[in-house]
Amino acid sequence: MNKNRLWLMATILVCGLGLFTSCSSEDDPLVIPEQGKAFRAMLKTLDWGADTTFVYGHKTPDVDAVCSSLGYAKLMNALGYNCKAKVSSATNRETAYISGVFGFELPELKSSVVPQTRLILTDHTDYAQCVDGAREAIILQKIDHHVEGDIQDSGIPYVRREMIGSTCTIIYEMYRETGVDIDDETARILLAGLLSDTRNLTKTTTQHEDSVAWTALVAQLQLEDKVAEINRQMADAANNYDGMSDGEIFLSDYKEYEIGGKAIGFSSLNCKASEMDDFISRMLGVMPQVMCDNRRDMLFAKIDNLVPNPDESDPDTPFVEDGTYFIYYGEGTQAVAEAIFGPSLREGVTYSKEELSRKQIVPRITEILQ
């Protein structure tokens, strides 16, 4: 037997015995990187208490908020901790659509928690977006992809923040790091959040990590030929305002913040360019009532400008974004809007050629107000 064959057999034997982790595939769930071992050890030090720990995304939850809470609760349970995902308010149409297509159950509604409830937060870092009662709760962990809000990292035992496209991507990474198998149901949950928050990897906030997770999850679920159509239908559901009042439309993807002593409401909307003028007027018309009902000092909304896709070879993407309208209402909002976007087109309306997400605009507002 020649030396090459002896070397090959020895290598196979060593890898089979697991003596060198470098010989093990990263897809082997039994191989736990040092980062995952440290995380598992950290979890044992947390004050879990005797009752269920609830995992919440933000109020008016979108797909990423819902799916990150579901996916993370499943991870914690797999690691031996009694956790359950909840939502603090009703889910939107896109979430209802994709949960039906992918066949997973949505979390139950629990709009408030009692003092000393153990919480894990996903996809948000501001008390204004938390379940009612969060200020008196015990926050054990925060998994997020936004800049730090008024829920300070320093007061939470474990914080994982990555400035990437989707919170579900972070949770995908944590499954891999901890050696926990991603079953097909979990893969569908994580992919749903990833598709929604990156719009199938097309949003400007998408990062390499999102692409890695997308590739793995799509391959596992064998959706290579279907994912573009699923994404288009998700976008159609998200943009479907049929049967909704103007107030319901404004609040369909809405978040609240406390910045520089100001109570701020911020909506994220979409509209076809051909209908934009009328849509903006309707949203401006409902903003005074929204401000009163929600006790806000300032209201903003970004509206993605949708135009027909010039690439006729891509039937799954009938519309593409072409800039961002930014509308405002309330004392001091014009100065904030114009500092970010330049002079108003008309009262209450500014515009940028950039395709900007709320996640990109909020830090700019914060810089101005603080």
Side-chain angles (χ1 to χ4, degrees), residues 18-59:
L19 297 179
F20 294 102
T21 57
S22 60
C23 295
S24 301
S25 167
E26 65 176 7
D27 293 329
D28 183 353
L30 298 179
V31 177
I32 304 174
E34 289 303 318
Q35 183 177 0
K37 292 178 182 177
F39 177 70
R40 283 172 174 255
M42 181 281 303
L43 290 176
K44 295 178 181 179
T45 70
L46 298 183
D47 176 17
W48 291 97
D51 298 322
T52 301
T53 295
F54 296 121
V55 187
Y56 276 96
H58 55 75
K59 286 182 178 177

Side-chain angles (χ1 to χ4, degrees), residues 28-275:
D28 183 353
L30 298 179
V31 177
I32 304 174
E34 289 303 318
Q35 183 177 0
K37 292 178 182 177
F39 177 70
R40 283 172 174 255
M42 181 281 303
L43 290 176
K44 295 178 181 179
T45 70
L46 298 183
D47 176 17
W48 291 97
D51 298 322
T52 301
T53 295
F54 296 121
V55 187
Y56 276 96
H58 55 75
K59 286 182 178 177
T60 59
D62 55 16
V63 182
D64 195 42
V66 171
C67 290
S68 60
S69 66
L70 281 170
Y72 201 68
K74 287 168 69 70
L75 176 60
M76 290 296 99
N77 281 300
L79 292 173
Y81 301 97
N82 179 21
C83 295
K84 190 172 184 62
K86 296 288 185 180
V87 291
S88 54
S89 56
T91 56
N92 61 23
R93 292 183 176 184
E94 184 184 16
T95 306
Y97 167 78
I98 194 58
S99 66
V101 170
F102 276 174
F104 58 84
E105 292 187 11
L106 297 177
E108 295 177 348
L109 175 66
K110 183 177 176 63
S111 59
S112 64
V113 295
V114 299
Q116 303 303 300
T117 299
R118 271 67 173 177
L119 297 179
I120 297 173
L121 309 181
T122 69
D123 197 30
H124 67 298
T125 184
D126 292 271
Y127 279 114
Q129 298 170 27
C130 278
V131 58
D132 291 348
R135 290 182 183 273
E136 291 74 42
I138 298 173
I139 300 175
L140 298 179
Q141 301 181 57
K142 182 171 62 173
I143 315 298
D144 188 41
H145 68 146
H146 303 88
V147 297
E148 184 181 20
D150 62 359
I151 306 175
Q152 297 295 312
D153 292 356
S154 59
I156 301 175
Y158 180 79
V159 175
R160 173 86 172 243
R161 177 183 296 106
E162 297 180 38
M163 302 304 293
I164 58 180
S166 168
T167 311
C168 282
T169 296
I170 302 173
I171 294 169
Y172 166 83
E173 294 173 339
M174 297 178 77
Y175 271 89
R176 303 305 306 155
E177 291 164 4
T178 53
V180 175
D181 181 55
I182 300 176
D183 60 32
D184 285 352
E185 180 183 62
T186 304
R188 289 191 292 271
I189 289 169
L190 296 180
L191 181 60
L194 175 53
L195 287 175
S196 176
D197 246 31
T198 68
R199 194 50 64 209
N200 202 24
L201 305 181
T202 63
K203 285 193 174 182
T204 56
T205 53
T206 302
Q207 302 296 323
H208 172 71
E209 294 86 348
D210 300 300
S211 298
V212 170
W214 183 98
T215 300
L217 295 169
V218 168
Q220 175 176 335
L221 298 171
Q222 300 181 345
L223 291 176
E224 291 88 347
D225 297 332
K226 300 177 182 178
V227 66
E229 173 64 13
I230 291 171
N231 172 68
R232 185 188 67 78
Q233 292 176 353
M234 289 175 69
D236 288 346
N239 299 335
N240 178 13
Y241 301 138
D242 290 349
M244 299 171 67
S245 68
D246 287 346
E248 290 170 335
I249 292 171
F250 191 90
L251 295 172
S252 61
D253 188 355
Y254 169 83
K255 291 184 178 181
E256 293 184 338
Y257 306 86
E258 303 290 335
I259 303 174
K262 298 291 185 181
I264 295 172
F266 194 146
S267 181
S268 179
L269 304 166
N270 303 279
C271 184
K272 296 176 184 177
S274 59
E275 303 170 2

